[in-house]
Amino acid sequence: MDASLTNNCFSRLMYWCDWGKTEKIEKATMDGNNRTLLVQTRGTSPLGLALDSDNRRLYWVASPGSLAFLDLDKGTTVQLLSGAISIAVSFGLTLDEKYLYWTDAKSHAVYRADKSTAKNPIKILPWLGSPRDVRAFNLVGYREAGTSDHFNL
């Protein structure tokens, strides 16, 4: 069963989680060719992916309680969190320049942690029901057509 999909339009690659018979993360070109196994997660179910194109890292959350990334240049996996209560049943994962954000359906919240270390995760949005996904947007420099260069909050 495929659980999450992310892509890099510049390199024309897509990445996805599969937690069927063998829990794994794979990639392929956008036309579905050149399918490649990247990671077998062995005992954890990868549910959310986030691609950090600038640092060439593919992050994922997995149940129960795991947050890791694959260095796409070196092919090495780094475990950032293991057995974390804040990742009991996570589905959504996203990132910005500094932080990772993920949902947890068991604690009904969205969490944030430093992208490099994931140390000291904090709950930033509590009591959300059963959140399944989260997205981060960078609006710096964004301007709708016909508006001024000044930001109104």
Side-chain angles (χ1 to χ4, degrees):
M1 173 182 280
D2 297 331
S4 183
L5 175 74
T6 191
N7 65 353
N8 183 336
C9 295
F10 298 110
S11 65
R12 303 212 20 90
L13 294 172
M14 61 182 162
Y15 303 85
W16 68 93
C17 304
D18 186 348
W19 40 278
K21 280 185 172 181
T22 304
E23 292 128 343
K24 60 191 171 206
I25 299 171
E26 297 181 84
K27 75 172 181 177
T29 53
M30 296 294 271
D31 61 5
N33 290 317
N34 302 314
R35 187 173 175 172
T36 306
L37 173 68
L38 295 175
V39 178
Q40 282 189 314
T41 57
R42 293 184 174 81
T44 62
S45 299
L47 297 171
L49 289 176
L51 181 63
D52 182 350
S53 298
D54 293 338
N55 295 306
R56 305 237 342 112
R57 292 178 174 176
L58 180 65
Y59 291 87
W60 68 91
V61 287
S63 292
S66 175
L67 173 63
F69 72 83
L70 172 68
D71 182 312
L72 294 170
D73 291 327
K74 297 177 185 174
T76 56
T77 299
V78 175
Q79 187 80 32
L80 294 172
L81 294 174
S82 181
I85 294 171
S86 62
I87 312 177
V89 184
S90 292
F91 292 97
L93 177 67
T94 193
L95 53 84
D96 64 17
E97 291 82 17
K98 292 175 63 176
Y99 299 106
L100 293 166
Y101 303 85
W102 65 89
T103 63
D104 183 64
K106 187 172 182 179
S107 64
H108 311 284
V110 174
Y111 290 84
R112 181 186 82 189
D114 178 84
K115 187 165 72 170
S116 300
T117 65
K119 297 229 187 273
N120 304 315
I122 60 169
K123 188 184 292 186
I124 60 169
L125 290 171
W127 307 108
L128 292 177
S130 187
R132 299 287 187 207
D133 205 1
V134 63
R135 295 284 180 238
F137 296 96
N138 182 352
L139 296 178
V140 173
Y142 172 77
R143 183 170 60 103
E144 286 188 43
T147 62
S148 72
D149 288 336
H150 302 286
F151 289 101
N152 296 316
L153 300 177

